[in-house]
Amino acid sequence: MSGDSGAEIAVLLVEDEPDLREVLAEYLEREIERFVVRTAADATEGEAIFAETGVDCIIADYDMPDLTGIDFLETVRASHPDLPFILYTGKGSEAVASEAVKAGVTDYFVKGTGTEQYGRLANRIENAVESYRATEQLAAAE
């Protein structure tokens, strides 16, 4: 996990819908070649993967069977307050967005139709990780 703009970006995708999880992971890796996407079917599995491997960014659905994406965000924020975390949700409401912002989400992305949304999501991931890495490098240099 270096600050090099060509460095690999490890992404954890937490999505309970199997078809969407597979398509999104595949598309993200195709959209930006340096992405390596690991997937989890729910927040509990996501927490286990996050605990055992390093990731540069987490994308999580809001509405999952065990915990919400915001519950997962709060768990991540307890140990990694600045790690890029994108809430990727089909429940695009002002209340959910407000709750996500209060919990410290990096970005909030409402699921849409068509594959062009995946390109926008990939760009947001890349920008969030680059910003995070630059901040980390600056802090280390000081």
Side-chain angles (χ1 to χ4, degrees):
M1 289 189 243
S2 79
D4 177 2
S5 63
E8 181 179 281
I9 294 177
V11 177
L12 173 58
L13 170 62
V14 183
E15 168 62 57
D16 62 319
E17 173 54 46
D19 292 338
L20 177 58
R21 184 173 62 241
E22 183 180 320
V23 167
L24 182 54
E26 185 178 306
Y27 195 92
L28 290 173
E29 287 183 339
R30 232 185 299 142
E31 183 72 17
I32 298 183
E33 290 182 1
R34 63 193 185 121
F35 282 3
V36 176
V37 181
R38 298 216 37 207
T39 63
D42 57 40
T44 302
E45 184 182 357
E47 288 175 1
I49 291 170
F50 178 66
E52 68 190 43
T53 64
V55 299
D56 297 300
C57 183
I58 297 172
I59 303 139
D61 187 14
Y62 172 76
D63 192 21
M64 294 183 284
D66 57 346
L67 300 168
T68 69
I70 293 174
D71 294 331
F72 183 37
L73 168 64
E74 290 171 346
T75 299
V76 169
R77 287 288 175 253
S79 61
H80 294 79
D82 299 318
L83 184 76
F85 192 111
I86 298 172
L87 192 66
Y88 183 66
T89 181
K91 296 205 182 262
S93 75
E94 198 172 303
V96 171
S98 176
E99 185 181 0
V101 169
K102 285 179 186 171
V105 74
T106 306
D107 204 346
Y108 178 83
F109 196 91
V110 178
K111 294 175 186 175
T113 57
T115 58
E116 66 278 348
Q117 69 173 319
Y118 303 146
R120 288 193 308 274
L121 179 59
N123 287 332
R124 288 188 184 187
I125 294 165
E126 187 173 42
N127 290 338
V129 170
E130 290 302 326
S131 176
Y132 172 71
R133 288 177 174 175
T135 301
E136 292 288 299
Q137 280 187 334
L138 184 60
E142 293 175 352

